[in-house]
Amino acid sequence: MDQGRPEDEGRQPDAGARSGTGRAKRLADLFSVEGLSAAEAPAVLCRACVDLLDVTGASISLYGGGDTGALWWSSDPVAEQLAEAQYTLGDGPCQTASRAAAPVLAADLTEGPDARRWPVFAQQAVELGVRAVFSLPLGAGGLAIGTLDLYRDTPGPLSEQDQSFAFPVSEAITSALLSLHDTQGKDAPFAPTWLDGAENDHEEVHQATGMIMVHLGVDPEHALARLRAHAFAHAQSVTEAARDVIAGRIRFHE
């Protein structure tokens, strides 16, 4: 994944931001996408989250309908693998947050209620070195257009201070995404939007799902469930399984 622009490496939160002084201005500065392209914006947004909050990594996933989603950007390979694992399983904190359009804060995936809520995902996350995941919906009015997913390599809840920032951060990212979308639509009406660009990464899943629908004569939800089941049974990601379907290496039959 694109790791962003070198000049953003030094962006660190100042003491005033963490103490609450000038928070609104700090958030506006950190999460501004003015002058940024769709290729540059996600790196800036994710890096700002990691800089501002006590988390190890972050990712932004977008949803254009259904629940397959598409990873727009991740701060590191672990964040990317976490997102892919949830797409494959159709389960996990970001999937739950997207469906409910509500925050999901899993403070300890090693044991307790969080581990029992998503047992397979929790096991895979722990194998990746992840101990806590915090997923915040991006959107408004009960409709999630995506999720901001934060992870930490140690268990424990977000501190009160980080919680006081995390929710305004998700709102700021939502505003930034919508601002970017509006700007692209006005200046380049025939150019792909940020959501179109993200969905390109998972086009194979959509194509393979369509092929399975034809093979089995089932609806999209059933087809996607069969694809996910095959991926899980063969220790693949759902994207890898989709590529096998498209290439004709596997076929689904009743």
Side-chain angles (χ1 to χ4, degrees):
M1 301 295 293
D2 177 18
Q3 297 301 304
R5 300 180 302 174
E7 60 265 33
D8 291 317
E9 293 291 346
R11 296 178 72 171
Q12 297 291 331
D14 54 32
R18 283 200 173 271
S19 67
T21 303
R23 172 162 54 176
K25 183 179 186 305
R26 180 60 176 167
L27 288 176
D29 291 342
L30 277 172
F31 297 98
S32 171
V33 292
E34 184 177 356
L36 299 177
S37 69
E40 297 170 317
V44 174
L45 297 176
C46 277
R47 181 168 294 113
C49 292
V50 178
D51 287 347
L52 187 63
L53 304 171
D54 180 22
V55 296
T56 307
S59 66
I60 297 174
S61 294
L62 303 175
Y63 298 85
D67 63 350
T68 55
L71 180 65
W72 198 36
W73 198 83
S74 59
S75 62
D76 57 79
V78 171
E80 181 179 356
Q81 291 176 69
L82 279 177
E84 186 67 46
Q86 293 179 86
Y87 300 151
T88 299
L89 297 170
D91 196 22
C94 88
Q95 295 278 331
T96 302
S98 174
R99 292 172 187 144
V104 175
L105 309 179
D108 190 350
L109 294 171
T110 64
E111 60 183 1
D114 293 330
R116 292 192 295 270
R117 187 175 185 182
W118 310 281
V120 179
F121 167 74
Q123 179 182 352
Q124 293 187 8
V126 170
E127 289 174 355
L128 291 171
V130 174
R131 299 296 181 266
V133 173
F134 312 104
S135 294
L136 307 175
L138 304 175
L143 177 64
I145 61 172
T147 55
L148 167 64
D149 303 299
L150 311 168
Y151 83 87
R152 193 193 294 139
D153 56 13
T154 56
L158 286 173
S159 67
E160 290 186 10
Q161 179 174 269
D162 276 351
Q163 285 194 45
S164 73
F165 273 102
F167 298 107
V169 160
S170 67
E171 294 173 1
I173 289 178
T174 297
S175 297
L177 293 177
L178 295 176
S179 173
L180 180 60
H181 179 267
D182 290 342
T183 299
Q184 285 189 321
K186 179 180 64 177
D187 295 341
F190 301 107
T193 66
W194 48 264
L195 183 55
D196 293 333
E199 287 186 323
N200 286 340
D201 289 341
H202 271 224
E203 186 61 36
E204 299 103 325
V205 176
H206 297 302
Q207 185 177 348
T209 299
M211 293 173 67
I212 296 170
M213 289 171 60
V214 173
H215 292 164
L216 301 182
V218 297
D219 59 30
E221 291 75 16
H222 189 159
L224 180 58
R226 290 291 296 268
L227 181 63
R228 282 173 165 157
H230 177 90
F232 180 76
H234 293 81
Q236 293 179 302
S237 72
V238 71
T239 304
E240 291 169 336
R243 289 169 182 159
D244 282 345
V245 172
I246 295 168
R249 288 188 286 271
I250 59 173
R251 287 179 62 87
F252 289 81
H253 302 281
E254 290 289 0

